[in-house]
Amino acid sequence: MTLITRRSILIAGTATAGAVLVPVASASAAPATARGARITVAAGETYELSATTRVDRLSIAEGGKIVAPDGYSVTLTVDGVETGQLLTETGGTETLIQAGTYRGDVVLTVAEANPVTYETLTFPFRQALYVDADGVARAKSVLTSVIGGRLTDSVAKNVSITSTGECFDGVYVKDADYTLERPVISFTGNGRSDFAGYGAAVVGAGSATKLVLDGARIATKGVVRTGVIADAGANVVVKNCRIHTRNGVLPADYQATVETPYMQSVPWMLGLDGNVRATNLIGANSRATYVNSTVFSETWGALSVEGGRGLKLTVVNSHVGNTGSYGYGTYAIGDATVRVLGSRFDVGSYATIIAGPAAVVHYGDSTPAAVAALNTELELGLTKTELKAVPARNTVVNSGHFGYMFFGAGTLTLDGGTVINSEKATFLNKGQQTTITVDGSQGARLNPRNGIVLQMMELDDPGPVPVDGKMMNVGVYTEPTGDPAEDTTFDVTAVHTADGAATFTSIALKGDFYNGMRKGKNLVLTFDDSSVKGVISASRTQHYVSTIDASTFYELGEVTNTKQAAVNNGVIVQLGAGSAWTVTGTSYLTKLTLAADAVVEAPGGKKLTMTVDGTVTAVTAGQTYAGAITLTVG
């Protein structure tokens, strides 16, 4: 192991201006700068530095530029803080040191370029610390911004990295094993892309990367100034850390888009706002695991999975959420696997957005067996002592809006002692194929304050609109008028693969279930050894406002239900053994199947009446009914 110290990389020499202190551009040392040395760049002048330079004062007039040779970048630090660098244009990738006068310990580091390509763009990364298979790459690092602590080729302990410029990364690890112990990273100023990691505090990239953060304190404020990113097959393990990101100010001419190379704010069509998420998991077969950590974004999202395939996001005994009114805890897209065990979520909008097409999400308990299995599967490297120090806990979600939102197809499992507290519906299904499983045998509970357990409705995303060749977020949702036309080819009494399905086992439920779809999709509910007290019905949904655009994003998903007979929105209820449904109001079904001991009843003191295709019919255990079923309570 090679020990790298500040002394070993600052090489003193003779006293001439423009001297090299960190010889990254050549193999030999160059003279140091005398006290009082300065650089002045005139208006319209391009000043090229061939090597790292230290001065006491740097002055750049408007229109003046400091550049590095081709294949290199230049970064300004003042008293150990990266500063002064801003993007040259909105949507661009290049940065320049801004005009002004900089005094103090002024170092201009010339480092080898680190170009990172994401889709159609190449981002010229600059980073405080670059680590590859050979250890710390001095030639690609801006080591003058790594303050204090101890730095080696395998571990950085107690270092501090501060940035007030734009698009500067803290630590970039590429195809290497590396550990960050108790780093403090503080970034203020905008990033550019959290799909590439341009401007992030920490990035682990490459299938040969195992990056461990232990005891990190990461705080950022800026547009897409992400805390932690795992990319391209990296295995990133975050334990005992605190990560907090706050929104920045978008450029005045920024236009919101869904095109990921240019995206710098959340698509409002998710019912969210904000321009920074705390973490991101991208690429193929990347893994990110958060253990005993606190991860908060102001809005947008705390733990994101964005694109790629074979991604695994895991949260154990952690506190996750949003400090603002809108935002999600986790996001699952593609074939991502998201697991939340023994954690507390305090979120603005959703615990998880499930965006399909094959996302698998599980919320449960952090039992010793479950954590040990994850330790092996994910190659976390937790010691026996660390495993013993992970207490068994249940998961609790507190959401200011909905519990879970299905924006695409996916599978969701809630078990153990998981408790979901939400102001609105526990499950918001926007017309998607779902497999929801809730096992209450260990105490799981669903507590929607508005009394709706599951709401199905049409997707109210207006979609992006092509503008000058780009897909921009300027669409407008308009509420449909009139009754839906019946699709005579769709069977509202049959179970289809693409239906919205949910199964509840060994749980007591109180709340309503609505299928407000206009097009052919059934709501299929199965209850085993469970009780449910509420309305289960087809309905017609209506938003509170007739049109929704970016200025009223918060109206998305907010609907009222008018109960009515199914048109293309069948409701199929299967009451299994030991199950009972207490019908609290008029309910319209298309199929009802009862086990031999299943019970359908009215609340105490009231009478239940069922009609099937207009004929009064007795509700008898062990029977199946199909057609236009209406249950009324009087």
Side-chain angles (χ1 to χ4, degrees):
M1 181 181 294
T2 304
L3 178 64
I4 305 170
T5 66
R6 179 62 60 81
R7 181 180 299 276
S8 68
I9 61 171
L10 299 181
I11 302 174
T14 58
T16 54
V20 177
L21 292 176
V22 187
V24 296
S26 64
S28 60
T33 302
R35 187 182 179 114
R38 64 183 61 186
I39 291 176
T40 299
V41 182
E45 178 184 0
T46 297
Y47 189 104
E48 181 173 301
L49 282 172
S50 60
T52 296
T53 302
R54 168 179 266 161
V55 294
D56 290 336
R57 176 174 171 173
L58 169 66
S59 296
I60 305 174
E62 289 290 341
K65 297 180 182 178
I66 292 184
V67 299
D70 289 344
Y72 293 86
S73 67
V74 60
T75 299
L76 170 66
T77 59
V78 178
D79 297 329
V81 175
E82 187 277 338
T83 192
Q85 211 103 334
L86 297 180
L87 284 162
T88 58
E89 61 177 332
T90 300
T93 63
E94 299 294 333
T95 61
L96 278 177
I97 301 170
Q98 297 302 290
T101 299
Y102 305 90
R103 297 181 178 88
D105 182 12
V106 178
V107 180
L108 293 157
T109 298
V110 176
E112 291 179 4
N114 176 26
V116 175
T117 298
Y118 172 73
E119 292 194 358
T120 58
L121 297 178
T122 297
F123 298 90
F125 274 53
R126 301 171 298 117
Q127 54 280 316
L129 188 63
Y130 185 103
V131 181
D132 59 23
D134 295 324
V136 174
R138 297 174 179 82
K140 291 185 177 181
S141 301
V142 182
L143 290 173
T144 53
S145 64
V146 182
I147 304 300
R150 185 170 181 266
L151 183 64
T152 78
D153 285 325
S154 61
V155 62
K157 295 184 178 181
N158 300 311
V159 299
S160 174
I161 302 172
T162 304
S163 168
T164 62
E166 292 187 342
C167 302
F168 184 69
D169 282 52
V171 180
Y172 190 93
V173 178
K174 175 71 172 177
D175 288 325
D177 284 350
Y178 205 73
T179 299
L180 296 169
E181 293 187 10
R182 300 178 298 279
V184 176
I185 302 177
S186 177
F187 284 2
T188 303
N190 291 347
R192 171 58 182 80
S193 172
D194 61 3
F195 291 89
Y198 193 38
V202 176
V203 176
S207 59
T209 289
K210 170 71 175 295
L211 173 59
V212 178
L213 282 75
D214 190 352
R217 300 294 182 264
I218 297 174
T220 75
K221 182 178 182 181
V223 175
V224 291
R225 206 73 191 265
T226 320
V228 176
I229 289 180
D231 186 17
N235 185 9
V236 177
V237 180
V238 179
K239 54 188 182 181
N240 312 312
C241 295
R242 294 182 180 275
I243 302 167
H244 183 198
T245 61
R246 293 184 290 166
N247 292 322
V249 178
L250 286 162
D253 58 345
Y254 173 74
Q255 295 178 308
T257 178
V258 296
E259 296 197 15
T260 53
Y262 300 93
M263 184 188 295
Q264 297 184 60
S265 62
V266 63
W268 64 267
M269 299 86 80
L270 292 172
L272 301 173
D273 69 351
N275 55 51
V276 65
R277 44 191 162 182
T279 71
N280 207 1
L281 175 64
I282 50 182
N285 303 313
S286 304
R287 291 168 281 174
T289 304
Y290 296 82
V291 180
N292 191 35
S293 294
T294 299
V295 183
F296 270 75
S297 63
E298 183 174 352
T299 50
W300 194 342
L303 297 167
S304 183
V305 176
E306 188 64 73
R309 62 185 186 276
L311 302 174
K312 294 183 178 182
L313 171 64
T314 307
V315 188
V316 178
N317 285 33
S318 293
H319 190 193
V320 175
N322 318 113
T323 56
S325 299
Y326 301 94
Y328 60 73
T330 67
Y331 187 86
I333 192 171
D335 63 349
T337 298
V338 175
R339 289 170 286 201
V340 178
L341 304 181
S343 296
R344 175 178 168 179
F345 275 40
D346 292 307
V347 295
S349 302
Y350 320 100
T352 298
I353 295 176
I354 299 169
V360 177
V361 180
H362 174 214
Y363 278 59
D365 296 350
S366 58
T367 64
V371 177
L374 290 172
N375 189 44
T376 300
E377 174 195 339
L378 301 173
E379 302 175 290
L380 303 180
L382 300 177
T383 65
K384 290 183 178 180
T385 299
E386 286 179 308
L387 287 173
K388 288 182 180 179
V390 178
R393 294 176 178 165
N394 68 310
T395 292
V396 177
V397 170
N398 300 302
S399 174
H401 290 83
F402 302 94
Y404 301 85
M405 192 262 276
F406 286 86
F407 200 70
T411 299
L412 171 64
T413 300
L414 307 179
D415 58 22
T418 299
V419 178
I420 310 300
N421 303 309
S422 58
E423 292 296 314
K424 307 294 176 67
T426 305
F427 307 107
L428 177 62
N429 180 358
K430 295 191 175 184
Q432 306 301 319
Q433 173 185 332
T434 66
T435 302
I436 299 171
T437 303
V438 181
D439 180 356
S441 61
Q442 300 298 314
R445 302 194 306 277
L446 309 179
N447 302 314
R449 180 170 287 188
N450 75 341
I452 299 177
V453 176
L454 193 155
Q455 174 75 64
M456 275 185 70
M457 56 176 285
E458 291 289 339
L459 181 64
D460 52 3
D461 175 6
V465 176
V467 178
D468 296 330
K470 290 185 179 180
M471 300 303 292
M472 311 307 293
N473 300 340
V474 294
V476 176
Y477 171 78
T478 301
E479 187 83 347
T481 59
D483 293 324
E486 182 181 3
D487 180 357
T488 58
T489 66
F490 182 74
D491 188 348
V492 295
T493 68
V495 176
H496 309 88
T497 300
D499 287 339
T503 298
F504 302 88
T505 303
S506 302
I507 191 170
L509 297 165
K510 184 177 181 181
D512 302 332
F513 298 75
Y514 293 109
N515 183 2
M517 293 293 295
R518 295 175 63 88
K519 302 172 185 176
K521 192 173 292 289
N522 292 337
L523 172 60
V524 182
L525 300 174
T526 301
F527 302 92
D528 290 320
D529 185 33
S530 295
S531 64
V532 55
K533 184 177 182 180
V535 169
I536 303 175
S537 183
S539 71
R540 178 175 175 179
T541 62
Q542 185 172 2
H543 287 80
Y544 294 109
V545 297
S546 59
T547 59
I548 303 172
D549 60 15
S551 67
T552 51
F553 70 90
Y554 47 82
E555 297 288 358
L556 291 170
E558 301 282 358
V559 296
T560 59
N561 291 279
T562 301
K563 295 176 289 182
Q564 61 183 34
V567 180
N568 306 312
N569 53 335
V571 177
I572 298 171
V573 175
Q574 303 172 93
L575 287 178
S579 295
W581 174 20
T582 302
V583 183
T584 60
T586 301
S587 299
Y588 296 90
L589 310 181
T590 53
K591 191 172 185 178
L592 174 62
T593 300
L594 306 177
D597 63 346
V599 175
V600 180
E601 60 187 4
K606 296 188 177 183
K607 180 183 177 181
L608 176 70
T609 301
M610 181 174 76
T611 62
V612 180
D613 295 330
T615 301
V616 176
T617 305
V619 181
T620 305
Q623 298 299 306
T624 295
Y625 308 91
I629 302 170
T630 305
L631 296 101
T632 57
V633 176

